[in-house]
Amino acid sequence: MNKTKSSILLPVTAMLLFWALTPISIAWIKHDFSLIFQIWVRYVISTTVLWLFLLAGKSLRHNLNIFMKARAYFLKTLSVTAFCTIMFQLLYTWCFFLIPPGFGILLYQSQVIFSVLLGILFFKTERQLISKPGTVAGIVMALGGASLVIIFQNHGFTAVLNTGIILALTGALSWSLVGLTVKKWIGDKLTPLFTVTMVFTLVSIFLTPALFFSGPLLTGNPGVIKWSVLIGSGLLGIAGGQGLYYYLLPHLGIITASSVQLLVPFFTGIFSFLLFGERITFLQLIGGLLLLGGCRIVLLQKQKFLVRSDADSS
């Protein structure tokens, strides 16, 4: 293995592990910290870390100059992105209060399909994607896989489980909306690291008043280990995962980076089995493979479309 491949393999593996452990940490400490408090702590910690990365880099002054010249525009658009991020995080975190981590993270991968459909809806240049047989086949395959995952799960259809399923799917849609707002309004006006740092800063600010109206912050009696898990999930799951994702983007490209994320459910499933004894049925496994395979096909179709568009414009 050459040096370049090995230098990318380590951060890719770390990113997958960090993101895979986030649902595990949420499920582990759900009885000790309230929903709002968990999210707020994670974002305050991750925002602090991202600012340290930003201050250590060379692009801060350039980004600040651009930001200040159109600060009214950026504050408005980034605030909308921040509210979409809060909606995503509330739904995403809440779903793991109700359903097993492996099951929930698998359903969350439907965000790939939502992202493509929103792109087709809001970007004229991407509407050609839906006319490609491969795109339609990938979407149908992913939807069929998601149906198998839901129908043949072995936890029974209770009100709690059904609510968790809805939260996971709407959380995936909310994350797609985050990407849509950034792509439509920010684009390449600001660097990705500066954008995510500003969004996380606004998320932390907007969430702070909610702490005073959300009831008890501690719902159990957490010890040092539980507090470490909460803090670690902010440092690794959000700051670490996001930081590595933006580090890898120039090396992998957005389509490949998104495809790599499809491996997260496998890691989460292993951890959830070891810690919580979560098991999946054979038909769920087939459904999961169809869901992830369909998402991968759609991403490949989008990659071909982007390459062809670049070639036509050059």
Side-chain angles (χ1 to χ4, degrees):
M1 182 181 293
N2 60 44
K3 185 176 180 181
T4 302
K5 288 184 178 179
S6 62
S7 65
I8 293 176
L9 181 60
L10 181 60
V12 165
T13 305
M15 179 185 73
L16 290 174
L17 289 174
F18 292 164
W19 277 345
L21 285 169
T22 300
I24 301 297
S25 66
I26 293 171
W28 192 2
I29 61 177
K30 65 183 180 182
H31 298 300
D32 298 282
F33 303 99
S34 70
L35 175 66
I36 295 293
F37 186 63
Q38 276 202 40
I39 297 171
W40 181 81
V41 169
R42 288 191 182 97
Y43 272 86
V44 168
I45 291 171
S46 58
T47 300
T48 303
V49 174
L50 288 172
W51 270 110
L52 292 175
F53 280 126
L54 196 59
L55 291 170
K58 299 178 181 179
S59 63
L60 178 59
R61 180 174 295 181
H62 173 71
N63 280 284
L64 282 176
N65 287 335
I66 297 173
F67 181 85
M68 293 306 295
K69 287 178 182 178
R71 55 185 176 274
Y73 171 81
F74 283 124
L75 280 175
K76 179 177 67 175
T77 54
L78 290 174
S79 293
V80 174
T81 302
F83 277 114
C84 289
T85 302
I86 290 172
M87 183 60 65
F88 152 70
Q89 197 60 238
L90 282 170
L91 296 167
Y92 178 81
T93 304
W94 192 6
C95 90
F96 295 117
F97 275 54
L98 304 178
I99 60 178
F103 180 39
I105 200 66
L106 193 56
L107 292 177
Y108 170 71
Q109 301 311 307
S110 60
Q111 57 89 14
V112 172
I113 304 302
F114 288 130
S115 295
V116 170
L117 292 177
L118 288 174
I120 292 170
L121 184 62
F122 286 94
F123 298 100
K124 187 177 180 180
T125 55
E126 295 190 19
R127 285 174 193 161
Q128 300 174 42
L129 265 175
I130 200 63
S131 64
K132 306 298 181 184
T135 303
V136 176
I139 291 173
V140 171
M141 183 175 170
L143 291 176
S147 299
L148 287 176
V149 169
I150 294 170
I151 294 170
F152 294 102
Q153 49 79 28
N154 56 3
H155 306 287
F157 285 100
T158 63
V160 171
L161 185 83
N162 293 341
T163 302
I165 291 171
I166 294 171
L167 290 173
L169 294 174
T170 51
L173 176 60
S174 298
W175 180 247
S176 301
L177 287 172
V178 172
L180 174 67
T181 59
V182 172
K183 181 176 180 179
K184 192 169 182 64
W185 293 329
I186 307 301
D188 57 0
K189 297 181 181 74
L190 302 169
T191 61
L193 179 59
F194 185 85
T195 299
V196 74
T197 303
M198 291 302 297
V199 170
F200 278 27
T201 301
L202 291 170
V203 168
S204 301
I205 293 171
F206 294 156
L207 279 176
T208 299
L211 290 175
F212 300 101
F213 302 99
S214 62
L217 303 181
L218 303 183
T219 53
N221 186 27
V224 175
I225 293 178
K226 296 289 183 69
W227 277 103
S228 299
V229 170
L230 176 59
I231 294 170
S233 65
L235 286 172
L236 302 179
I238 298 181
Q242 290 283 353
L244 287 170
Y245 178 75
Y246 287 113
Y247 165 77
L248 288 166
L249 273 180
H251 301 279
L252 300 177
I254 190 167
I255 300 298
T256 304
S258 298
S259 298
V260 166
Q261 292 181 58
L262 297 175
L263 296 173
V264 170
F266 294 104
F267 288 91
T268 301
I270 292 171
F271 292 136
S272 188
F273 170 74
L274 294 175
L275 291 172
F276 306 121
E278 181 185 358
R279 297 176 183 273
I280 62 172
T281 64
F282 176 73
L283 287 175
Q284 262 193 305
L285 176 62
I286 298 299
L289 293 175
L290 288 173
L291 170 60
L292 299 179
C295 291
R296 175 61 176 161
I297 290 172
V298 171
L299 287 171
L300 287 175
Q301 289 295 313
K302 187 169 184 178
Q303 185 175 38
K304 291 178 183 178
F305 171 77
L306 292 174
V307 170
R308 192 176 299 114
S309 298
D310 290 342
D312 293 340
S313 61
S314 61

